[in-house]
Amino acid sequence: MESLPLDAEARRLLWRCRRGMKELDVLLERFARRELPGASPGQRQVLGRFLELPDPMLVDYLLGQAIPPDPELADLVRRIAAPAATLQAPIR
């Protein structure tokens, strides 16, 4: 499946998804490539606020160790983490 071209703002957000931690990079970049082409300005703003958080906090949120107090960020975390949870193999 070919991804849609991204505008300048979407490319900047995608670049900010590169955190230097493999797990974060995979989750965030996959989400951004899938969602940014059709994202509203408000959705992009929420993603931008999320990307301002420090990496340890992002990891805690995306791995379900903590829940963001901001409802918009909590919803975003659910949307980012949901596909990852379905891809993980069950622990045996």
Side-chain angles (χ1 to χ4, degrees), residues 36-50:
L36 280 174
S40 71
Q43 290 169 322
R44 289 177 178 203
Q45 189 267 337
V46 171
L47 178 59
R49 284 194 297 125
F50 184 69

Side-chain angles (χ1 to χ4, degrees), residues 19-39:
R19 308 298 288 213
M21 179 184 275
K22 181 75 171 175
E23 295 83 355
L24 282 179
D25 290 355
V26 169
L27 284 172
L28 294 172
E29 287 187 42
R30 183 180 298 148
F31 174 80
R33 288 185 186 282
R34 183 180 71 238
E35 298 292 327
L36 280 174

Side-chain angles (χ1 to χ4, degrees), residues 52-68:
E52 291 172 3
L53 299 174
D55 288 356
M57 191 174 284
L58 296 182
V59 170
D60 284 349
Y61 288 158
L62 293 173
L63 295 181
Q65 303 299 315
I67 299 171

